[in-house]
Amino acid sequence: MPYDPSDARSALPTATATRQPDGIYSPASHVKFYELPAVTTDGDTRTWYGRSQHLVIGYTDLVTPTGFTVPETSDECAVLMPEATTSATVTIDGKTTTVAGQTLTFIPPDAADVRLEGSGRVITIFTARSGAAPGEAANAAAYDEPHPGVAPLISWPDPVGGFQLRTYDLDVPGLTEPAFRIFRCSSFMVNVTHPRNGPRDTTRMSPHSHDDFEQCSLVIDGAFTHHLRWPWTTDLSQWREDEHEHCDSPSLTIIPPPAVHTSQATDAGVNHLIDIFSPPRTDFSLMDGWVLNAADYPMPEAAS
């Protein structure tokens, strides 16, 4: 499953890896928020949630001010505001910090009050084990039983200087090809790709697979077709049909291991997809300069 030579991912040590797993393949989960009623409403503001095995991801269409409370937990959570027209105030231990839009903020595992203002999209990220998400995921039933192919979530080392509110500006170049902006905390990784105009060049797709972690692909603009193919094993009953699932925005697709997958932007206008992984990806983290806040969050000693 090679990448195009111009794609920086072609240098990953797993770029051509293959795997024949044991057990039953888990299905993909396509959570099309635009087809579902909001989980919570506050005035004209609406919020939906979807989940993977380790994460609960919220998508908020912010119109009128709203907020939520985070209990003291074992894990950080995050507020991603891709647009400058939104803002957040975060209060922890009586100290209030105002966070501008077009940022990604990691909130420490302390009790916190978060207030959102402005208009635009806000994405919230919680670990499922923390129980901190303010609403239930639309696809919660898909995880009534753990998916056998997904490795357990083992947190990476604490950040340098200890847990604290950390905000990162999204107005940074990141990588060129692919257009990645990657950040991580101790329990998950967020790849805020740069939005692109027009459909994807179909001669430069990037089919690949992951051995033991899910990929959470959140579409916030435009439309994508998620192409998935499961490897064949000796047990015919475990084979799954290929998928070519069209997803408009907003939507969240959970891609399970070890499905071969690639996502194709299809809209004539702006297409924007954000990928989220838990735990943080070791292969991305080993690439020099890929993770933009690597100095704040060390890798496990064994991985580095």
Side-chain angles (χ1 to χ4, degrees):
M1 292 167 285
Y3 294 95
D4 186 273
S6 66
D7 190 316
R9 288 171 293 181
S10 63
L12 288 170
T14 56
T16 58
T18 59
R19 174 174 177 256
Q20 292 291 343
D22 297 324
I24 299 173
Y25 291 142
S26 298
S29 184
H30 305 282
V31 189
K32 299 177 181 180
F33 297 138
Y34 55 89
E35 293 181 348
L36 301 172
V39 173
T40 63
T41 58
D42 188 359
D44 293 326
T45 292
R46 301 175 296 162
T47 300
W48 296 259
Y49 294 92
R51 68 163 295 176
S52 65
Q53 185 137 304
H54 296 319
L55 297 174
V56 179
I57 298 169
Y59 177 92
T60 297
D61 181 8
L62 182 64
V63 179
T64 51
T66 190
F68 60 91
T69 299
V70 181
E72 186 172 348
T73 71
S74 59
D75 293 319
E76 295 164 284
C77 62
V79 176
L80 169 62
M81 296 181 288
E83 297 161 301
T85 53
T86 59
S87 66
T89 55
V90 183
T91 302
I92 302 173
D93 289 334
K95 179 182 177 181
T96 297
T97 303
T98 299
V99 179
Q102 205 172 17
T103 56
L104 170 64
T105 296
F106 292 117
I107 298 174
D110 300 312
D113 183 74
V114 180
R115 189 72 180 168
L116 304 174
E117 297 185 340
S119 61
R121 286 80 56 83
V122 177
I123 293 97
T124 49
I125 307 168
F126 307 86
T127 62
R129 70 184 179 187
S130 72
E136 185 176 28
N139 63 331
Y143 291 90
D144 284 344
E145 297 292 337
H147 290 191
V150 179
L153 171 54
I154 300 174
S155 294
W156 285 22
D158 291 355
V160 176
F163 291 104
Q164 56 187 280
L165 195 70
R166 299 174 188 267
T167 296
Y168 301 97
D169 195 336
L170 298 181
D171 188 18
V172 291
L175 298 180
T176 302
E177 186 57 47
F180 287 176
R181 292 172 292 183
I182 304 173
F183 304 88
R184 70 174 183 243
C185 69
S186 57
S187 51
F188 55 88
M189 172 180 281
V190 186
N191 180 10
V192 190
T193 65
H194 283 282
R196 290 187 170 182
N197 289 314
R200 183 172 184 172
D201 180 353
T202 57
T203 68
R204 299 184 68 250
M205 304 299 289
S206 55
H208 63 283
S209 64
H210 310 304
D211 280 357
D212 59 3
F213 62 87
E214 294 173 305
Q215 177 170 319
C216 307
S217 291
L218 177 68
V219 178
I220 65 170
D221 283 304
F224 286 77
T225 297
H226 300 292
H227 303 283
L228 297 99
R229 168 171 289 180
W230 282 261
W232 290 354
T233 68
T234 56
D235 185 351
L236 179 64
S237 69
Q238 304 300 332
W239 294 10
R240 300 184 66 90
E241 295 288 338
D242 290 355
E243 290 186 19
H244 306 279
E245 188 75 18
H246 177 84
C247 293
D248 288 326
S249 53
S251 61
L252 175 69
T253 289
I254 310 301
I255 300 170
V260 178
H261 60 279
T262 187
S263 295
Q264 176 190 356
T266 59
D267 198 88
V270 174
N271 296 287
H272 195 186
L273 181 147
I274 296 166
D275 285 328
I276 308 165
F277 308 92
S278 181
R281 288 183 61 160
T282 300
D283 57 351
F284 280 6
S285 297
L286 287 171
M287 303 300 287
D288 187 37
W290 280 35
V291 179
L292 300 179
N293 66 335
D296 293 338
Y297 287 92
M299 296 178 62
E301 186 175 343
S304 60

